[in-house]
Amino acid sequence: MAPSRHADEGGQLQLMEPDRVEEEEECFESIDKLISQGINAGDVKKLQDAGIYTCNGLMMHTKKSLTGIKGLSEAKVDKICEAAEKLLSQGFMTGSDLLLKLPIHMHGGNGKVAYIDTEGTFRPERIVPIAERFGMDANAVLDNIIYAHSVIALFRVDFSGRGELAERQQKLAQMLSRLTKIAEEFNVAVYITNQVIADPGGGMFITDPKKPAGGHVLAHAATIRLMLRKGKGEQRVCKIFDAPNLPEGEAVFQVTQGGIMDAKD
C-alpha cells in the first residue's frame, strides 16, 4: 500500500504511512469481534441482519430490544452484552487517560464524507479546484464523497403553523438522536448546516434580528455551534456561538475558487 497524503493545518501535504492509516481507521469495534469472545457466529449474523454492525451500536440498544431479535434469548443477550463490554472496556477513566484518546493529528484528507444535500446545492465541480489547491487528486477526492439528495427541505415547507410544532420538533429530535448515535458509534464528526430565521420578537433595538432555526432541540443536539455572516466585500465572519472548550471569538475568512482562505484586507 502506498503512503496516503493529507494536508496539515498550514495547508502543506504530508505523508501518512500505511500502518498509520490502519491505526486511524480502527476507531470502532466490529460486531464480528464477538466471535473471539465465544459468541456463536450464527448469533452474530442475527445481530447484523438486525442492523447492528458494531459493539458500540450494540450497547446503544436495550436488552429488551435485543431479545426482540428472533433467535436471541435473554441468556444469549446477557452473554453477548458481557462480551461486548469486555471489548469496549467501558467504565471510568482518569482525565489524563481521556486526553490521550483525543485526536492530536488531523488526518482528514484521506477520509470519506457522506454528504446529505437537503437543498440541492452541492456542486462537485467546486471540489476540483479545492483539491488542486492542496495538490490532491481531484477524482480521488470526489470518490471519497458519498452523495445523497434529501427532500428534508419539504419538512420545513409543509410546516403550516404552531399546531404542528410539537410533532415537527419530535421528528427533528429523532433524526438528531440518530446522528448523535452514528457519531458516537463510528467516531465520526457530524456537521450540520442550519438556517437562520427572522425573530420578530427580538425588539427594535436588535440590529440583526435573526436566530437559528430548529429551536432548542437543534441547539442542544449540537456540541459546537458557529454563526456565519457576511462581512465587508468578499469577507465572511465566523463567530463561536456555543462551545464547551472555546471562548467567544470571531474569525474572518474568504471563500475563493480554491476554497476557504485567510481574509485579505
Side-chain angles (χ1 to χ4, degrees), residues 113-125:
V113 58
Y115 192 108
I116 310 299
D117 185 4
T118 63
E119 304 289 339
T121 57
F122 178 70
R123 296 295 181 268
E125 59 269 23

Side-chain angles (χ1 to χ4, degrees), residues 93-107:
M93 65 177 65
T94 67
S96 298
D97 290 336
L98 182 60
L99 181 62
L100 293 176
K101 292 176 68 69
L102 296 174
I104 296 177
H105 301 290
M106 300 180 69
H107 299 304

Side-chain angles (χ1 to χ4, degrees), residues 180-202:
T180 300
K181 288 181 178 179
I182 290 173
E184 294 178 354
E185 180 176 355
F186 297 101
N187 191 29
V188 296
V190 175
Y191 180 87
I192 300 174
T193 302
N194 193 15
Q195 295 179 336
V196 294
I197 56 177
D199 184 12

Side-chain angles (χ1 to χ4, degrees), residues 155-170:
F155 190 49
R156 183 183 68 254
V157 174
D158 285 344
F159 176 59
S160 59
R162 297 188 65 87
E164 297 180 5
L165 181 59
E167 181 183 1
R168 186 190 73 166
Q169 293 302 91
Q170 183 180 34

